[in-house]
Amino acid sequence: IPEDIHLPLIEACEESPTGLKTTWSCVWFGRYPSAEVVDSAWSAVDDYALDPGDVIRDAGLYERLTEADWQGDTVVLDGVAYRRVGLDRAAGQKRPQHYGWAYDRPWHYFEISSIRWRVLDVQGERALLLADRMIDCVPFNAADEDVAWQDCTLRSWLNGYGGGANREGMDFAGKGLIDLAFTDREREAILTTLCENADNSTYGTDSGEDTRDKLFILSNSEAFESETAGRYGFEPNSDHDDPARRFTSTLYAKLMGTWWSPVEDYAGNSFWCMRTSGYTSRSVTYVCDFGYIYSKGALVNCADAGVLPAMWVDLRAADVEYAAEVVSTDIIHAAEQGNRFPVPQLRAPVRVADEAAPGGS
C-alpha cells in the first residue's frame, strides 16, 4: 500500500467560494483510452478545454496507426496500447462545445493509459476511489423513461451486466467498463459495495432499491448533503458552487459526446450525473460545470454528460501506484489560464416610451 495515500485534507481557503479547499491523494489503477494521436490538421476541441497531454501531435505515429495490423479495435506499438474509434461509434454531435467533426478522419486513435483516481476515503486497507476526470460519455439510461439506478443502462455498462439487469435489455456482459479498463487481477481487487439509493431529499422522488455493485457513480448524499460528503472533501452543508465538485473530461470522453463549458471561470469543465433521481423518475441529478448540484436533474437519456465512476478497492490486492495529489482550487487556476469566452454582461430590464407598442412602452 503506498505510504502517501491519505484521507482528504480540508483547509480554510479565502479564494474558494465555499471558504474551503481539499487536497486528495491520488493513485493510478486500470487503463482506458484518453489522449488522441493526431496529425497536424487536428483542431477538433477548443484549446481551453484541453489538459496537458490530451493531444499527441505526431504525424509519424498517426501514419503508423493507420497502417497497423489491428486485431479488432486495439493494437500495441512499441509496447504502448492504442484503441481506434470509427465515426460510426462516436457521438458526432455537431454543436458548439462538442468534438468538432470538421476533423472527419474515418478513424480516431487513442492511447490507452493509466486512469488516475482521487482517494475519497480510507477504511483500514480499503479505499474509496473517484476518477480524477470523466473518462467516457454514456447516458444514465439509453431511453427516455421512468428508471432508477437499479434498472438503468449506465449501471449495466459500468459493471458488465447482462440484458436482464436493465430496463432496455442491453447486454454488456464482457464489454462493460469493468471488463475494458481492468485486468482479471484488478477486477478481483474491486470490492462489491452496497449502494444506498435514498429518495431525492428536495423533491421526494424515489431513487429505487439499494444495489450491490463494484462500479458506481456517486449519490447526492455522497457529494453534498451529509457529513459523509464533507469527509470525502466536498462542501457538505449546502449546494454552493464548489470547486471540489468541478471536473474536466478526457479527450476520449469528448469524442464520445461529452460537452464542455465555455463560461469564464469554468471554461473546459464538463458536467456529470449522480445516481439519485431528480424532480421526476425520468430525470437524474447532476453536477454542473461550476460545481453546483442540480437536484431537479436532467433527463435520464441526456447524451452529453461525462461519466465519473467510483469504486471501493482492497489496497492489499489492487496494486495501485501513487499518483501525487490534487487540490480542489487548482481547477480555478487552470481556468484562469485558458482562452475563455467572456461572461455576458447582464442588466435589469429597461422600460422606455414607444408610441408604436401596445400600451405605449
Side-chain angles (χ1 to χ4, degrees):
I1 301 174
E3 295 181 356
D4 294 312
I5 290 180
H6 58 74
L7 290 168
L9 304 176
I10 303 163
E11 307 169 87
C13 179
E14 292 183 357
E15 67 180 330
S16 171
T18 64
L20 300 170
K21 73 174 182 180
T22 301
T23 301
W24 293 278
S25 58
C26 297
V27 296
W28 301 112
F29 184 61
R31 302 178 67 81
Y32 205 64
S34 178
E36 184 172 4
V37 180
V38 302
D39 57 15
S40 58
W42 190 91
S43 59
V45 173
D46 296 315
D47 287 345
Y48 67 82
L50 297 171
D51 280 12
D54 276 353
V55 182
I56 303 172
R57 296 182 183 273
D58 188 327
L61 176 58
Y62 183 90
E63 184 176 359
R64 289 181 65 197
L65 289 168
T66 64
E67 299 174 350
D69 181 18
W70 289 85
Q71 302 299 316
D73 288 330
T74 60
V75 72
V76 177
L77 297 179
D78 302 328
V80 179
Y82 299 89
R83 181 181 295 178
R84 65 179 182 178
V85 181
L87 290 181
D88 59 326
R89 291 180 53 199
Q93 299 188 50
K94 297 183 179 181
R95 296 187 289 159
Q97 288 79 61
H98 290 82
Y99 193 98
W101 288 96
Y103 186 71
D104 56 355
R105 304 297 191 268
W107 292 99
H108 295 253
Y109 304 106
F110 289 84
E111 181 180 300
I112 299 176
S113 55
S114 297
I115 307 171
R116 194 185 195 199
W117 305 83
R118 301 183 188 186
V119 179
L120 300 190
D121 197 6
V122 179
Q123 297 180 7
E125 294 173 324
R126 303 166 64 246
L128 174 60
L129 308 182
L130 178 69
D132 183 52
R133 302 180 74 187
M134 301 171 215
I135 66 173
D136 208 325
C137 182
V138 178
F140 183 83
N141 196 60
D144 178 9
E145 60 187 339
D146 291 338
V147 66
W149 168 252
Q150 68 192 55
D151 297 319
C152 75
T153 51
L154 177 60
R155 175 178 175 241
S156 292
W157 175 79
L158 287 169
N159 292 280
Y161 295 153
N166 63 79
R167 188 69 60 81
E168 292 301 300
M170 297 179 68
D171 184 5
F172 295 102
K175 52 189 176 182
L177 178 64
I178 197 167
D179 305 294
L180 300 175
F182 304 101
T183 64
D184 290 344
R185 179 179 177 182
E186 288 169 338
R187 283 192 288 272
E188 291 177 0
I190 302 173
L191 302 172
T192 300
T193 300
L194 174 64
C195 296
E196 297 179 344
N197 298 304
D199 295 350
N200 185 306
S201 63
T202 302
Y203 300 104
T205 315
D206 182 8
S207 295
E209 299 177 2
D210 295 344
T211 61
R212 291 188 175 275
D213 305 298
K214 285 182 174 284
L215 297 182
F216 52 92
I217 55 178
L218 298 184
S219 66
N220 280 16
S221 62
E222 291 168 322
F224 88 109
E225 57 184 16
S226 69
E227 293 182 1
T228 298
R231 189 172 71 251
Y232 292 170
F234 304 118
E235 209 288 325
N237 297 317
S238 67
D239 49 359
H240 281 137
D241 303 347
D242 186 3
R245 293 192 292 260
R246 300 174 192 170
F247 289 81
T248 63
S249 53
T250 65
L251 189 49
Y252 179 79
K254 291 180 174 69
L255 176 80
M256 301 307 286
T258 304
W259 170 90
W260 64 85
S261 175
V263 179
E264 190 171 6
D265 295 333
Y266 319 117
N269 298 349
S270 298
F271 73 103
W272 46 288
C273 289
M274 319 287 282
R275 68 174 192 269
T276 303
S277 295
Y279 177 65
T280 71
S281 56
R282 288 177 55 200
S283 61
V284 63
T285 302
Y286 70 94
V287 181
C288 73
D289 51 327
F290 47 93
Y292 182 92
I293 292 186
Y294 280 87
S295 286
K296 190 170 185 177
L299 288 176
V300 293
N301 65 332
C302 174
D304 54 1
V307 178
L308 200 65
M311 60 185 168
W312 280 92
V313 298
D314 181 344
L315 293 172
R316 297 168 301 178
D319 195 26
V320 299
E321 295 183 18
Y322 180 63
E325 294 180 330
V326 168
V327 182
S328 61
T329 51
D330 283 351
I331 201 165
I332 298 175
H333 301 306
E336 293 171 352
Q337 299 169 11
N339 299 318
R340 299 162 296 167
F341 285 68
V343 174
Q345 297 299 308
L346 305 180
R347 58 187 176 88
V350 177
R351 189 178 181 88
V352 296
D354 185 349
E355 295 180 355
S361 64

